Amino acid sequence: MPHGPLAGVRVVELACLGPGAFATMLLGDLGADVVRIDRADSAGQFPGSPRTDLLNRNKRSIVLDLKTPGGISAARALIDRADVVVDGSRPGVTERLGLGPATFDRSNPKLVYGRASGWGQTGPAAQQPGHDINFIAVTGALHAIGEAGGPPQIPVNLVGNFAGGSLYLVIGILSALRVAEQTGHGQTVDAATIDGTLHMMTSMHSMLAANAWDDQRGLNVTDGGAPFYAVYETADGEYMSVGAMEPKFFSVLVRALEIPFDTDRQYSRELWPALRASIAQAFATQTQAYWSDYFERHEACVSPVLSIGGAAAHEQIADRASLVEVDGIYQSAPAPRFSRTDGAIARLPPIPGEHTDEILQSVGLVAADLLAEKDPQSADHHNNT
């Protein structure tokens, strides 16, 4: 049953990892028909069962050997019928396979070709390997995260891979689809993680230009430098987050914690060390559960720091069903939400190749056709690599 605002949009994913896989999962959550072309040796890439690889939910999987003419022919047949292709390989790889964007200029002129990479498709580092930590390192984002006087702290791989990479790729794809609908012409979307990460840092660049941001970590209001925007340990070794930036919330905070402080001097930096010590001392007297309950009755922008597993128990997350259990696995519900065409988790993550016959039949092919086109030399070369 079609679901979501992207119902009817056909997407082909060229077996991406990380950012590309998350981007196509998001498109699938929103209703797109996503076909993932897996490699024959794809088993073992994910540490658990393929059914637990949630980045592949809402997708169908076909296994093709793209080192054989038969595999390339099948891939071309799928892409010729697609609205979107998502490619996460290094620049030039799909061109060498005969699956680059120019291949489809005539056969599928409305095709949107999304390219997910860390460094981008051009430039001196385009062919270099890298991971999230490398991409956010050169943008200044990693440098900005951590305590004053300490080393940079790694923000998992959310800032680069999934925010600066995946989400910007999806924005680009949706924008290019609109242009294709209006003009009949598709285009390539070059979604580089470094570009997206830098774009997210626009407010920091603005404050830096206004001399309102210290380019050293742990010295600014929103990087933990301010005692009213920080985390504090509780009596049971858990933590509470405090975001009392505005004077009205800060006033509630110090009154609730019974800290004598002139609230008019909230932004007097010379008072911050003593204020931080007083807040820390107050939070250390009670458990996280106590403070969570306490600050539900005091509007000071204070919330418990929950674990990944513990987030499901938060009343707001539970009430909105932001985390759902599907086939025994807790996972995020599709986001964002729509009043008329909401997304859904319609398919479990597939076993690689689970839908091969079904997908081939949809383009008028059968597995025997691929075997008939197999190039023995290509196959031998593939087996020896």
Side-chain angles (χ1 to χ4, degrees):
M1 187 77 178
H3 66 274
L6 295 184
V9 174
R10 294 163 296 187
V11 179
V12 172
E13 175 197 333
L14 299 176
C16 296
L17 300 174
F22 182 77
T24 51
M25 182 208 83
L26 177 51
L27 295 174
D29 283 357
L30 297 179
D33 176 20
V34 181
V35 170
R36 176 180 166 96
I37 298 180
D38 278 304
R39 300 195 304 264
D41 61 351
S42 60
Q45 288 186 344
F46 183 72
S49 163
R51 292 290 191 213
T52 64
D53 190 354
L54 298 179
L55 296 189
N56 284 334
R57 75 185 189 193
N58 281 332
K59 302 177 187 180
R60 295 183 292 160
S61 170
I62 180 174
V63 166
L64 294 176
D65 186 347
L66 297 183
K67 294 189 176 182
T68 67
I72 293 296
S73 294
R76 284 178 177 168
L78 289 169
I79 295 172
D80 275 338
R81 292 163 175 80
D83 300 296
V84 177
V85 170
V86 174
D87 165 38
S89 54
R90 291 194 201 186
V93 170
T94 54
E95 281 78 3
R96 291 193 292 273
L97 290 171
L99 297 174
T103 305
F104 305 96
D105 282 348
R106 292 188 177 181
S107 60
N108 190 358
K110 292 180 66 176
L111 181 67
V112 172
Y113 204 104
R115 312 198 89 158
S117 67
W119 304 113
Q121 299 299 305
T122 61
Q127 293 292 338
Q128 292 182 7
H131 287 291
D132 179 285
I133 190 171
N134 309 117
F135 309 138
I136 67 172
V138 302
T139 64
L142 182 59
H143 179 272
I145 301 171
E147 295 182 358
Q153 296 296 308
I154 302 169
V156 202
N157 62 341
L158 297 177
V159 173
N161 277 356
F162 298 116
S166 299
L167 298 186
Y168 276 83
L169 176 59
V170 171
I171 291 169
I173 287 171
L174 296 180
S175 301
L177 278 173
R178 184 171 186 273
V179 173
E181 290 171 358
Q182 293 175 328
T183 68
H185 297 292
Q187 59 188 301
T188 298
V189 178
D190 178 1
T193 299
I194 58 169
D195 295 348
T197 302
L198 285 166
H199 194 260
M200 290 191 299
M201 296 172 66
T202 299
S203 65
M204 294 181 183
H205 297 147
S206 177
M207 288 187 285
L208 196 61
N211 294 319
W213 184 271
D214 193 314
D215 203 13
Q216 297 298 319
R217 61 187 156 272
L219 300 178
N220 302 284
V221 172
T222 57
D223 64 1
F228 46 83
Y229 199 91
V231 294
Y232 293 95
E233 189 172 3
T234 56
D236 53 348
E238 300 294 336
Y239 289 85
M240 297 297 292
S241 68
V242 175
M245 295 171 62
E246 295 85 353
K248 64 178 181 179
F249 298 129
F250 178 69
S251 295
V252 174
L253 175 72
V254 293
R255 287 200 306 269
L257 296 178
E258 299 181 353
I259 296 173
F261 189 84
D262 181 359
T263 55
D264 290 336
R265 303 195 65 187
Q266 176 181 358
Y267 281 86
S268 297
R269 288 176 177 260
E270 70 275 11
L271 301 180
W272 283 4
L275 176 59
R276 186 184 300 273
S278 296
I279 296 175
Q281 185 177 19
F283 274 113
T285 62
Q286 300 289 346
T287 66
Q288 183 190 69
Y290 173 88
W291 289 121
S292 298
D293 179 69
Y294 185 78
F295 278 101
E296 284 184 3
R297 303 187 301 276
H298 298 80
E299 292 187 348
C301 298
V302 177
S303 304
V305 177
L306 304 177
S307 68
I308 296 173
H314 189 272
E315 62 179 2
Q316 181 69 8
I317 291 173
D319 184 77
R320 286 179 59 83
S322 301
L323 282 170
V324 295
E325 185 176 356
V326 180
D327 199 36
I329 300 174
Y330 268 104
Q331 56 195 281
S332 61
R337 303 184 186 193
F338 299 83
S339 61
R340 296 185 180 217
T341 57
D342 219 6
I345 301 174
R347 291 181 181 273
L348 299 176
I351 305 297
E354 181 175 344
H355 306 98
T356 295
D357 291 340
E358 167 190 318
I359 295 168
L360 288 176
Q361 289 172 11
S362 71
V363 293
L365 295 173
V366 294
D369 295 333
L370 307 189
L371 294 174
E373 294 187 35
K374 209 169 182 70
D375 182 339
Q377 290 185 345
S378 295
D380 288 344
H381 174 73
H382 176 57
N383 291 334
N384 290 330
T385 55

